[in-house]
Amino acid sequence: MKQPTVFLSRIASALFFIMTVMLIISAPACSGGAASGVRTDDTTSHSLPDTLRVGTLYSPMSYFIYRGEPMGYDYSLINDFATAKGLVLDLQVATSLNSLVRMLDSGEVDILAYEIPVTAEYKEHIIPCGPETFTSQVLVQPKQPKGGYPRITNVTELIGRDVYVEKDSKYQHRLENINENLGGGINIHPIDRDTLITEDLIEMVSQDEIPLTIVDSDIARINKTYYPNLDISLEVSFPQKASWGVASGNAWLADSINAWFAMDEPRKENAVLLKRYFELSKGLPPSIMTLDLSKGHVSPFDAYFRKYASEADIDWRLLASQGFVESRFNPSAVSWAGARGVMQIMPGTGRQFGASPAQLADTETSIRLATKIYNLLDKSLSSDVPDPVERRKFIMAAYNGGIAHVRDAIALAKKYGLNPQVWDGNVEKALLMKSKPEYFNDPVCRYGYFRGTETTRYVKDVISLYDRVRKRIKA
């Protein structure tokens, strides 16, 4: 009596196997990012690896280190994916897009968490997946142009105008094409890359040093968070789609990523990240001259500054000046990067000292930890910069941007003939060099891309305010 049951069971198992194989064979490969359709997470025939090897590039959008913590839109998303799947993230940084693609081709990495253009060149051996982005070249101009010029709303209005672009760049080629189509008349000014880069040109437009430039829209959006007086609404090229990518034989991995990315929580987190990197203001607060010293004190928290600075043998007025530049003495301040409290301490740094993110909003805790951080930086930099007065500037830079980038700048200063023990015009200059690929990819640089303009301004502001406070407030 048992034989028919066994027989039917075997038939059912065989049919299930055949149907499973047919489904696997007939399923279409991933041909786009998460927005182009989602398949189920194919972990029945392929298991996710214990370690996810990820390739990326240093850039203000994809991956960078800030105040000792890894950041970037692409990094944050792929890290969330790895965490959700219980995977170890092995991040490998290439020096160029071509070398990044070669890493995927050779099997060194499993996925590229970087915006790979979806073009015929790459589609032959890369399957797009994950978040899709669309970028175009845009005109960068002031919201309120100087000199009586109206804001440009059409490319035809570029005739007779001066536009500055990187020499031999795609921006120059695009502008020349527009100029040819219009019959000439645009005054094109190519700028040598050894002198300036795209971000420098954007800042120059913001400061009214040049009238116009052209950049990619994603770069423009990030920089607009630093320079809100800019207009980047006029597109001057067709949009280009880009996405993450996996090797052509790993469609199952693309499907896993797309399936995860289509879920509610990743979509919500994606919206948060887009706001953090492309919308939240990153510019410095108003001038340090707004601090009122007429009442004989620096802040409502002078007692805390005095107490903890005396324990660490630091001039409390220096710490107080730093606190004003950091947060304008606002205990509830939270920066775009997540730094908290009066002294703007990063959550990761706080945890190293046993303080939770919520505790960083406590003013006494914030000042106490800032004093400890100052002391650690002072000891760490003492052999590099023997002069204690000069070392203050290095400490301020390390506090604001991270000691890793300051050490990179010291190494660059040594290599390129600058004084590694002097900040102004030397290591300060080397830190600014770290926004350029030829320098942040230099072998002596270990920590990649860094936007140094904010940190160099920060050092100037803190030291300038400290000098002012010392003249008005007794120690």
Side-chain angles (χ1 to χ4, degrees):
M1 293 295 293
K2 294 182 179 180
Q3 289 181 349
T5 304
V6 173
F7 179 72
L8 290 173
S9 176
R10 288 175 177 173
I11 291 176
S13 298
L15 287 172
F16 177 80
F17 174 79
I18 292 169
M19 290 174 67
T20 301
V21 171
M22 291 178 66
L23 284 171
I24 293 172
I25 294 173
S26 62
C30 172
S31 59
S36 57
V38 177
R39 287 170 49 196
T40 56
D41 192 344
D42 182 13
T43 54
T44 55
S45 57
H46 293 88
S47 297
L48 289 169
D50 293 333
T51 298
L52 187 65
R53 301 171 303 163
V54 178
T56 192
L57 295 178
Y58 283 119
S59 79
M61 177 175 173
S62 293
Y63 175 65
F64 59 93
I65 297 171
Y66 179 69
R67 292 195 172 193
E69 297 191 15
M71 291 191 171
Y73 170 74
D74 293 305
Y75 167 80
S76 299
L77 270 183
I78 196 64
N79 188 56
D80 285 346
F81 173 76
T83 301
K85 298 295 184 180
L87 312 177
V88 175
L89 187 67
D90 177 13
L91 193 70
Q92 301 179 44
V93 185
T95 57
S96 67
L97 180 57
N98 286 338
S99 62
L100 184 64
V101 173
R102 284 197 294 271
M103 288 171 65
L104 186 68
D105 284 342
S106 64
E108 295 176 56
V109 296
D110 304 307
I111 180 172
L112 303 183
Y114 185 80
E115 282 62 43
I116 308 297
V118 181
T119 61
E121 175 186 1
Y122 294 119
K123 285 182 71 174
E124 291 181 1
H125 49 122
I126 296 179
I127 300 174
C129 62
E132 287 184 345
T133 60
F134 292 85
T135 60
S136 59
Q137 295 182 34
V138 297
L139 182 71
V140 179
Q141 61 181 325
K143 285 183 177 178
Q144 298 179 335
K146 303 287 185 179
Y149 285 107
R151 187 168 60 86
I152 295 172
T153 59
N154 189 286
V155 292
T156 59
E157 297 167 10
L158 289 171
I159 296 174
R161 302 296 301 274
D162 295 298
V163 187
Y164 293 75
V165 289
E166 291 179 50
K167 185 177 181 180
D168 297 326
S169 67
K170 61 181 178 181
Y171 310 126
Q172 179 181 346
H173 300 324
R174 178 58 187 156
L175 191 56
E176 289 171 345
N177 182 260
I178 293 172
N179 193 42
E180 182 179 347
N181 290 337
L182 293 175
I186 302 175
N187 302 320
I188 303 173
H189 300 272
I191 304 297
D192 197 315
R193 282 184 58 89
D194 291 337
T195 307
L196 296 169
I197 62 170
T198 300
E199 291 181 345
D200 297 323
L201 295 175
I202 295 172
E203 181 181 13
M204 291 173 74
V205 174
S206 174
Q207 302 297 324
D208 291 320
E209 296 177 25
I210 61 174
L212 305 165
T213 191
I214 290 176
V215 303
D216 284 331
S217 56
D218 55 349
I219 297 174
R221 287 176 64 198
I222 289 176
N223 278 271
K224 195 175 185 302
T225 65
Y226 292 94
Y227 311 116
N229 64 330
L230 296 178
D231 180 280
I232 58 172
S233 60
L234 180 60
E235 296 183 356
V236 298
S237 73
F238 293 109
Q240 168 66 60
K241 184 166 74 170
S243 186
W244 294 354
V246 300
S248 57
N250 289 341
W252 65 271
L253 178 56
D255 296 335
S256 295
I257 291 168
N258 283 343
W260 174 80
F261 197 71
M263 297 170 65
D264 286 341
E265 282 305 312
R267 283 187 175 278
K268 290 177 183 177
E269 180 61 19
N270 182 49
V272 171
L273 292 173
L274 287 172
K275 184 174 182 179
R276 169 187 281 189
Y277 291 106
F278 297 102
E279 296 180 29
L280 290 180
S281 174
K282 302 177 183 66
L284 290 171
S287 168
I288 57 173
M289 298 306 293
T290 59
L291 178 61
D292 182 9
L293 300 174
S294 63
K295 297 179 181 179
H297 61 79
V298 183
S299 76
F301 315 118
D302 284 4
Y304 292 144
F305 284 118
R306 287 177 182 273
K307 175 184 178 180
Y308 292 105
S310 64
E311 293 177 3
D313 194 25
I314 305 169
D315 188 338
W316 72 271
R317 295 169 297 181
L318 176 61
L319 283 179
S321 300
Q322 187 182 1
F324 181 77
V325 175
E326 284 285 355
S327 70
R328 298 316 191 245
F329 301 130
N330 179 7
S332 61
V334 180
S335 77
W336 69 271
R340 288 166 163 78
V342 168
M343 301 305 290
Q344 289 290 278
I345 296 172
M346 294 291 286
T349 303
R351 281 190 287 269
Q352 292 176 19
F353 291 95
S356 68
Q359 290 174 315
L360 297 178
D362 176 73
T363 300
E364 183 173 5
T365 299
S366 184
I367 294 172
R368 176 175 58 83
L369 294 186
T371 306
K372 290 182 178 292
I373 294 168
Y374 186 102
N375 262 350
L376 287 174
L377 293 173
D378 189 30
K379 292 176 183 177
S380 180
L381 290 164
S382 59
S383 59
D384 297 290
V385 190
D387 180 7
V389 176
E390 186 66 24
R391 193 160 64 243
R392 289 173 185 156
K393 299 175 183 177
F394 286 75
I395 293 170
M396 291 298 109
Y399 188 102
N400 179 259
I403 193 169
H405 294 301
V406 172
R407 291 209 177 280
D408 272 357
I410 290 172
L412 285 170
K414 291 177 181 178
K415 181 171 182 176
Y416 291 96
L418 301 170
N419 189 333
Q421 297 182 357
V422 174
W423 179 259
D424 292 341
N426 287 274
V427 177
E428 172 191 41
K429 181 179 179 180
L431 189 67
L432 292 171
M433 292 160 61
K434 276 174 59 67
S435 65
K436 302 179 180 180
E438 58 265 41
Y439 295 113
F440 69 66
N441 284 322
D442 190 293
V444 303
C445 257
R446 298 177 58 193
Y447 300 99
Y449 169 87
F450 183 66
R451 185 187 181 98
T453 51
E454 280 65 47
T455 295
T456 55
R457 165 80 180 278
Y458 174 88
V459 173
K460 284 185 173 69
D461 281 355
V462 172
I463 299 301
S464 177
L465 182 57
Y466 174 51
D467 290 340
R468 180 179 160 219
V469 170
R470 280 192 303 170
K471 295 175 182 177
R472 297 288 301 274
I473 307 297
K474 293 182 180 181

